[in-house]
Amino acid sequence: MAMVAQTAATLRGFVRDITDLDTTDLPDSLLNMYIRDGYYRILDLEKRWKFLEETFTFNTVVNQRAYTIANFTADPIDEVISIVDNTAIGNRLDMVGHDMAEETYIGSYDISGNPLFYSIWDSQIHLYPKPNSVRALTCRGYREPTDWFTTLGNVDASKNLHLPLVYYACSRIYQRLEDTVMSAEYKRAFDEGVSLARNAEIKPTSHAHLVLSHGQTRGRPTFKGWMQQLGRTLGD
């Protein structure tokens, strides 16, 4: 049977059915806070939930280093994990620390060329070296969750994570009513439901992935290699 998506309204309905509390005994504002608390706890378990995956593209501007991420996607991006240059033969850029890139590409060494590295700072993608031509870049990352309470949409999570929010809210309600036994039971149900869903989320697919050179292509430039080459040519 296919899993059914839930909204804030249906979650509240389930909680009220279990606890037999109306809006006088348990205002929606308090119940919403409990459900939100459970949702945020789920998000904090993993940095890279599949349901938050996002892909976006943009074109570079000649001699421009910094690019504001919000200009390229409607969804706020929490983390960028990969940038691929699709121009010509293509190249996957390596991520480096912003302070290291800033220290390396400075003064007369800050010349333009084909971007090989990137850093993230102040919600911007910084390319090193600065592009000397227009490049088409594809980025993968993880977005921030939507405010599904305000939009009245489905819970912004995998469907198997929806119902555990009911158990978490019930746990907090029984805690408020000083029923520690029922509170602990529903907290245990929440933890178990989230654990099962999390394991299913990160479980590898049934087919085996093809491994190409142990996940690395040959001859790719690296930041370490670039630094070594720079050291050898300083006296030229």
mmCIF file of all heavy atoms in Angstrom, residues 55-60 80-94 115-116 118 125 127 135-140 220:
data_model
loop_
_atom_site.group_PDB
_atom_site.id
_atom_site.type_symbol
_atom_site.label_atom_id
_atom_site.label_comp_id
_atom_site.label_asym_id
_atom_site.label_seq_id
_atom_site.Cartn_x
_atom_site.Cartn_y
_atom_site.Cartn_z
ATOM 1 N N THR A 55 19.012 20.698 -7.657
ATOM 2 C CA THR A 55 19.967 20.941 -8.743
ATOM 3 C C THR A 55 19.629 22.265 -9.420
ATOM 4 O O THR A 55 18.453 22.544 -9.676
ATOM 5 C CB THR A 55 19.929 19.803 -9.779
ATOM 6 O OG1 THR A 55 20.251 18.567 -9.149
ATOM 7 C CG2 THR A 55 20.925 20.061 -10.906
ATOM 8 N N PHE A 56 20.626 23.078 -9.683
ATOM 9 C CA PHE A 56 20.393 24.330 -10.403
ATOM 10 C C PHE A 56 21.603 24.634 -11.270
ATOM 11 O O PHE A 56 22.691 24.076 -11.087
ATOM 12 C CB PHE A 56 20.106 25.495 -9.445
ATOM 13 C CG PHE A 56 21.215 25.816 -8.484
ATOM 14 C CD1 PHE A 56 22.152 26.803 -8.771
ATOM 15 C CD2 PHE A 56 21.320 25.139 -7.277
ATOM 16 C CE1 PHE A 56 23.180 27.104 -7.890
ATOM 17 C CE2 PHE A 56 22.340 25.434 -6.378
ATOM 18 C CZ PHE A 56 23.269 26.407 -6.680
ATOM 19 N N THR A 57 21.419 25.489 -12.244
ATOM 20 C CA THR A 57 22.479 25.838 -13.192
ATOM 21 C C THR A 57 22.616 27.356 -13.295
ATOM 22 O O THR A 57 21.687 28.102 -12.978
ATOM 23 C CB THR A 57 22.180 25.274 -14.594
ATOM 24 O OG1 THR A 57 20.949 25.850 -15.080
ATOM 25 C CG2 THR A 57 22.035 23.758 -14.557
ATOM 26 N N PHE A 58 23.782 27.792 -13.732
ATOM 27 C CA PHE A 58 23.972 29.212 -14.033
ATOM 28 C C PHE A 58 25.170 29.369 -14.960
ATOM 29 O O PHE A 58 26.015 28.470 -15.061
ATOM 30 C CB PHE A 58 24.151 30.049 -12.757
ATOM 31 C CG PHE A 58 25.442 29.824 -12.026
ATOM 32 C CD1 PHE A 58 26.543 30.653 -12.246
ATOM 33 C CD2 PHE A 58 25.564 28.800 -11.082
ATOM 34 C CE1 PHE A 58 27.739 30.460 -11.562
ATOM 35 C CE2 PHE A 58 26.753 28.608 -10.389
ATOM 36 C CZ PHE A 58 27.845 29.437 -10.629
ATOM 37 N N ASN A 59 25.218 30.489 -15.642
ATOM 38 C CA ASN A 59 26.333 30.832 -16.521
ATOM 39 C C ASN A 59 27.213 31.880 -15.845
ATOM 40 O O ASN A 59 26.710 32.812 -15.202
ATOM 41 C CB ASN A 59 25.824 31.375 -17.861
ATOM 42 C CG ASN A 59 25.130 30.319 -18.690
ATOM 43 O OD1 ASN A 59 25.416 29.126 -18.582
ATOM 44 N ND2 ASN A 59 24.180 30.744 -19.512
ATOM 45 N N THR A 60 28.493 31.720 -15.994
ATOM 46 C CA THR A 60 29.420 32.667 -15.388
ATOM 47 C C THR A 60 29.511 33.941 -16.224
ATOM 48 O O THR A 60 29.078 33.989 -17.388
ATOM 49 C CB THR A 60 30.819 32.052 -15.254
ATOM 50 O OG1 THR A 60 31.345 31.788 -16.567
ATOM 51 C CG2 THR A 60 30.772 30.762 -14.461
ATOM 52 N N VAL A 80 25.848 23.577 -0.842
ATOM 53 C CA VAL A 80 26.249 23.187 -2.196
ATOM 54 C C VAL A 80 27.346 22.136 -2.062
ATOM 55 O O VAL A 80 28.343 22.354 -1.372
ATOM 56 C CB VAL A 80 26.765 24.387 -3.013
ATOM 57 C CG1 VAL A 80 27.282 23.931 -4.374
ATOM 58 C CG2 VAL A 80 25.653 25.419 -3.196
ATOM 59 N N ILE A 81 27.152 20.988 -2.704
ATOM 60 C CA ILE A 81 28.123 19.891 -2.547
ATOM 61 C C ILE A 81 28.868 19.564 -3.831
ATOM 62 O O ILE A 81 29.852 18.825 -3.805
ATOM 63 C CB ILE A 81 27.444 18.617 -2.028
ATOM 64 C CG1 ILE A 81 26.428 18.096 -3.053
ATOM 65 C CG2 ILE A 81 26.788 18.867 -0.684
ATOM 66 C CD1 ILE A 81 25.936 16.696 -2.756
ATOM 67 N N SER A 82 28.420 20.095 -4.967
ATOM 68 C CA SER A 82 29.089 19.762 -6.222
ATOM 69 C C SER A 82 28.825 20.842 -7.260
ATOM 70 O O SER A 82 27.699 21.346 -7.364
ATOM 71 C CB SER A 82 28.584 18.408 -6.746
ATOM 72 O OG SER A 82 29.096 18.144 -8.041
ATOM 73 N N ILE A 83 29.876 21.198 -8.010
ATOM 74 C CA ILE A 83 29.743 22.107 -9.154
ATOM 75 C C ILE A 83 30.491 21.488 -10.326
ATOM 76 O O ILE A 83 31.679 21.144 -10.197
ATOM 77 C CB ILE A 83 30.304 23.510 -8.855
ATOM 78 C CG1 ILE A 83 29.534 24.154 -7.697
ATOM 79 C CG2 ILE A 83 30.233 24.393 -10.097
ATOM 80 C CD1 ILE A 83 30.014 25.552 -7.335
ATOM 81 N N VAL A 84 29.811 21.348 -11.450
ATOM 82 C CA VAL A 84 30.401 20.771 -12.652
ATOM 83 C C VAL A 84 30.381 21.810 -13.765
ATOM 84 O O VAL A 84 29.351 22.430 -14.030
ATOM 85 C CB VAL A 84 29.639 19.503 -13.096
ATOM 86 C CG1 VAL A 84 30.153 19.004 -14.442
ATOM 87 C CG2 VAL A 84 29.764 18.410 -12.046
ATOM 88 N N ASP A 85 31.534 21.991 -14.389
ATOM 89 C CA ASP A 85 31.660 22.878 -15.553
ATOM 90 C C ASP A 85 31.354 22.053 -16.797
ATOM 91 O O ASP A 85 32.087 21.130 -17.145
ATOM 92 C CB ASP A 85 33.079 23.450 -15.614
ATOM 93 C CG ASP A 85 33.253 24.461 -16.738
ATOM 94 O OD1 ASP A 85 32.333 24.610 -17.563
ATOM 95 O OD2 ASP A 85 34.326 25.084 -16.802
ATOM 96 N N ASN A 86 30.244 22.370 -17.465
ATOM 97 C CA ASN A 86 29.804 21.597 -18.623
ATOM 98 C C ASN A 86 30.358 22.127 -19.940
ATOM 99 O O ASN A 86 30.039 21.581 -21.001
ATOM 100 C CB ASN A 86 28.274 21.592 -18.691
ATOM 101 C CG ASN A 86 27.645 20.946 -17.480
ATOM 102 O OD1 ASN A 86 27.835 19.766 -17.239
ATOM 103 N ND2 ASN A 86 26.891 21.725 -16.713
ATOM 104 N N THR A 87 31.192 23.160 -19.890
ATOM 105 C CA THR A 87 31.716 23.766 -21.107
ATOM 106 C C THR A 87 32.848 22.925 -21.676
ATOM 107 O O THR A 87 33.677 22.400 -20.939
ATOM 108 C CB THR A 87 32.224 25.186 -20.811
ATOM 109 O OG1 THR A 87 31.193 25.920 -20.136
ATOM 110 C CG2 THR A 87 32.586 25.912 -22.100
ATOM 111 N N ALA A 88 32.871 22.783 -23.004
ATOM 112 C CA ALA A 88 33.919 22.043 -23.715
ATOM 113 C C ALA A 88 34.009 20.612 -23.173
ATOM 114 O O ALA A 88 33.009 19.926 -23.075
ATOM 115 C CB ALA A 88 35.247 22.776 -23.623
ATOM 116 N N ILE A 89 35.213 20.174 -22.755
ATOM 117 C CA ILE A 89 35.367 18.804 -22.282
ATOM 118 C C ILE A 89 34.822 18.621 -20.874
ATOM 119 O O ILE A 89 34.630 17.492 -20.428
ATOM 120 C CB ILE A 89 36.854 18.364 -22.316
ATOM 121 C CG1 ILE A 89 37.698 19.238 -21.371
ATOM 122 C CG2 ILE A 89 37.399 18.413 -23.725
ATOM 123 C CD1 ILE A 89 39.125 18.749 -21.232
ATOM 124 N N GLY A 90 34.554 19.705 -20.173
ATOM 125 C CA GLY A 90 33.951 19.633 -18.851
ATOM 126 C C GLY A 90 34.956 19.371 -17.746
ATOM 127 O O GLY A 90 36.068 18.906 -17.971
ATOM 128 N N ASN A 91 34.534 19.665 -16.507
ATOM 129 C CA ASN A 91 35.404 19.476 -15.346
ATOM 130 C C ASN A 91 34.573 19.663 -14.099
ATOM 131 O O ASN A 91 33.692 20.521 -14.040
ATOM 132 C CB ASN A 91 36.547 20.495 -15.351
ATOM 133 C CG ASN A 91 37.427 20.391 -14.118
ATOM 134 O OD1 ASN A 91 37.863 19.305 -13.769
ATOM 135 N ND2 ASN A 91 37.668 21.520 -13.456
ATOM 136 N N ARG A 92 34.825 18.820 -13.110
ATOM 137 C CA ARG A 92 34.171 18.996 -11.815
ATOM 138 C C ARG A 92 35.085 19.821 -10.921
ATOM 139 O O ARG A 92 36.240 19.448 -10.691
ATOM 140 C CB ARG A 92 33.864 17.658 -11.158
ATOM 141 C CG ARG A 92 33.174 17.815 -9.803
ATOM 142 C CD ARG A 92 32.787 16.485 -9.208
ATOM 143 N NE ARG A 92 32.198 16.666 -7.891
ATOM 144 C CZ ARG A 92 31.720 15.689 -7.137
ATOM 145 N NH1 ARG A 92 31.793 14.441 -7.588
ATOM 146 N NH2 ARG A 92 31.203 15.931 -5.958
ATOM 147 N N LEU A 93 34.568 20.929 -10.412
ATOM 148 C CA LEU A 93 35.355 21.821 -9.577
ATOM 149 C C LEU A 93 35.531 21.226 -8.180
ATOM 150 O O LEU A 93 34.631 20.568 -7.661
ATOM 151 C CB LEU A 93 34.689 23.190 -9.466
ATOM 152 C CG LEU A 93 34.883 24.171 -10.635
ATOM 153 C CD1 LEU A 93 34.284 23.636 -11.938
ATOM 154 C CD2 LEU A 93 34.255 25.526 -10.299
ATOM 155 N N ASP A 94 36.699 21.443 -7.601
ATOM 156 C CA ASP A 94 36.970 21.008 -6.238
ATOM 157 C C ASP A 94 36.632 22.138 -5.269
ATOM 158 O O ASP A 94 36.953 23.302 -5.516
ATOM 159 C CB ASP A 94 38.437 20.627 -6.057
ATOM 160 C CG ASP A 94 38.771 19.296 -6.717
ATOM 161 O OD1 ASP A 94 37.903 18.410 -6.715
ATOM 162 O OD2 ASP A 94 39.889 19.151 -7.245
ATOM 163 N N PRO A 115 37.761 28.043 -14.372
ATOM 164 C CA PRO A 115 37.574 27.774 -12.942
ATOM 165 C C PRO A 115 37.895 26.313 -12.604
ATOM 166 O O PRO A 115 37.428 25.396 -13.279
ATOM 167 C CB PRO A 115 36.092 28.083 -12.711
ATOM 168 C CG PRO A 115 35.721 29.019 -13.823
ATOM 169 C CD PRO A 115 36.536 28.583 -14.998
ATOM 170 N N LEU A 116 38.706 26.120 -11.574
ATOM 171 C CA LEU A 116 39.072 24.784 -11.115
ATOM 172 C C LEU A 116 38.566 24.504 -9.704
ATOM 173 O O LEU A 116 38.387 23.349 -9.334
ATOM 174 C CB LEU A 116 40.596 24.616 -11.127
ATOM 175 C CG LEU A 116 41.298 24.808 -12.473
ATOM 176 C CD1 LEU A 116 42.804 24.726 -12.280
ATOM 177 C CD2 LEU A 116 40.817 23.776 -13.475
ATOM 178 N N TYR A 118 36.130 26.067 -6.107
ATOM 179 C CA TYR A 118 35.089 26.990 -5.630
ATOM 180 C C TYR A 118 35.043 26.965 -4.111
ATOM 181 O O TYR A 118 35.465 26.007 -3.456
ATOM 182 C CB TYR A 118 33.722 26.625 -6.214
ATOM 183 C CG TYR A 118 33.062 25.407 -5.585
ATOM 184 C CD1 TYR A 118 32.127 25.544 -4.556
ATOM 185 C CD2 TYR A 118 33.360 24.116 -6.015
ATOM 186 C CE1 TYR A 118 31.520 24.439 -3.978
ATOM 187 C CE2 TYR A 118 32.763 23.005 -5.448
ATOM 188 C CZ TYR A 118 31.837 23.179 -4.423
ATOM 189 O OH TYR A 118 31.243 22.076 -3.849
ATOM 190 N N ILE A 125 28.660 31.708 -4.310
ATOM 191 C CA ILE A 125 29.656 30.799 -4.860
ATOM 192 C C ILE A 125 30.804 31.631 -5.399
ATOM 193 O O ILE A 125 30.604 32.549 -6.194
ATOM 194 C CB ILE A 125 29.046 29.950 -6.004
ATOM 195 C CG1 ILE A 125 27.944 29.033 -5.445
ATOM 196 C CG2 ILE A 125 30.119 29.131 -6.701
ATOM 197 C CD1 ILE A 125 27.158 28.320 -6.540
ATOM 198 N N LEU A 127 34.424 31.523 -7.440
ATOM 199 C CA LEU A 127 35.152 30.672 -8.375
ATOM 200 C C LEU A 127 36.622 31.084 -8.446
ATOM 201 O O LEU A 127 36.957 32.269 -8.451
ATOM 202 C CB LEU A 127 34.530 30.775 -9.778
ATOM 203 C CG LEU A 127 33.049 30.387 -9.892
ATOM 204 C CD1 LEU A 127 32.565 30.564 -11.319
ATOM 205 C CD2 LEU A 127 32.819 28.954 -9.408
ATOM 206 N N ARG A 135 31.025 30.253 -18.809
ATOM 207 C CA ARG A 135 31.007 28.823 -18.534
ATOM 208 C C ARG A 135 29.622 28.428 -18.030
ATOM 209 O O ARG A 135 28.991 29.156 -17.270
ATOM 210 C CB ARG A 135 32.038 28.436 -17.468
ATOM 211 C CG ARG A 135 33.370 29.145 -17.566
ATOM 212 C CD ARG A 135 34.191 28.706 -18.738
ATOM 213 N NE ARG A 135 34.622 27.310 -18.641
ATOM 214 C CZ ARG A 135 35.486 26.765 -19.491
ATOM 215 N NH1 ARG A 135 35.988 27.495 -20.502
ATOM 216 N NH2 ARG A 135 35.856 25.511 -19.360
ATOM 217 N N ALA A 136 29.134 27.267 -18.461
ATOM 218 C CA ALA A 136 27.848 26.742 -17.995
ATOM 219 C C ALA A 136 28.102 25.779 -16.847
ATOM 220 O O ALA A 136 28.709 24.725 -17.027
ATOM 221 C CB ALA A 136 27.124 26.036 -19.139
ATOM 222 N N LEU A 137 27.641 26.140 -15.646
ATOM 223 C CA LEU A 137 27.903 25.351 -14.449
ATOM 224 C C LEU A 137 26.617 24.708 -13.924
ATOM 225 O O LEU A 137 25.562 25.349 -13.899
ATOM 226 C CB LEU A 137 28.513 26.217 -13.350
ATOM 227 C CG LEU A 137 29.797 26.971 -13.699
ATOM 228 C CD1 LEU A 137 30.319 27.713 -12.474
ATOM 229 C CD2 LEU A 137 30.856 26.036 -14.252
ATOM 230 N N THR A 138 26.721 23.455 -13.517
ATOM 231 C CA THR A 138 25.616 22.731 -12.896
ATOM 232 C C THR A 138 25.960 22.456 -11.439
ATOM 233 O O THR A 138 27.029 21.915 -11.145
ATOM 234 C CB THR A 138 25.342 21.401 -13.609
ATOM 235 O OG1 THR A 138 24.969 21.666 -14.967
ATOM 236 C CG2 THR A 138 24.214 20.632 -12.925
ATOM 237 N N CYS A 139 25.071 22.836 -10.540
ATOM 238 C CA CYS A 139 25.320 22.709 -9.103
ATOM 239 C C CYS A 139 24.310 21.743 -8.481
ATOM 240 O O CYS A 139 23.133 21.732 -8.836
ATOM 241 C CB CYS A 139 25.185 24.067 -8.411
ATOM 242 S SG CYS A 139 26.206 25.364 -9.118
ATOM 243 N N ARG A 140 24.810 20.932 -7.554
ATOM 244 C CA ARG A 140 23.950 20.079 -6.743
ATOM 245 C C ARG A 140 24.103 20.468 -5.286
ATOM 246 O O ARG A 140 25.196 20.827 -4.848
ATOM 247 C CB ARG A 140 24.310 18.598 -6.919
ATOM 248 C CG ARG A 140 23.953 18.018 -8.260
ATOM 249 C CD ARG A 140 24.140 16.504 -8.292
ATOM 250 N NE ARG A 140 25.531 16.108 -8.095
ATOM 251 C CZ ARG A 140 25.976 15.506 -7.007
ATOM 252 N NH1 ARG A 140 25.154 15.248 -5.984
ATOM 253 N NH2 ARG A 140 27.255 15.158 -6.906
ATOM 254 N N ARG A 220 42.762 14.796 -13.295
ATOM 255 C CA ARG A 220 42.025 15.988 -12.877
ATOM 256 C C ARG A 220 42.932 16.909 -12.070
ATOM 257 O O ARG A 220 43.711 16.447 -11.233
ATOM 258 C CB ARG A 220 40.825 15.613 -12.002
ATOM 259 C CG ARG A 220 39.710 14.933 -12.761
ATOM 260 C CD ARG A 220 38.533 14.663 -11.841
ATOM 261 N NE ARG A 220 38.030 15.912 -11.318
ATOM 262 C CZ ARG A 220 37.807 16.119 -10.025
ATOM 263 N NH1 ARG A 220 38.088 15.203 -9.149
ATOM 264 N NH2 ARG A 220 37.316 17.261 -9.625
#
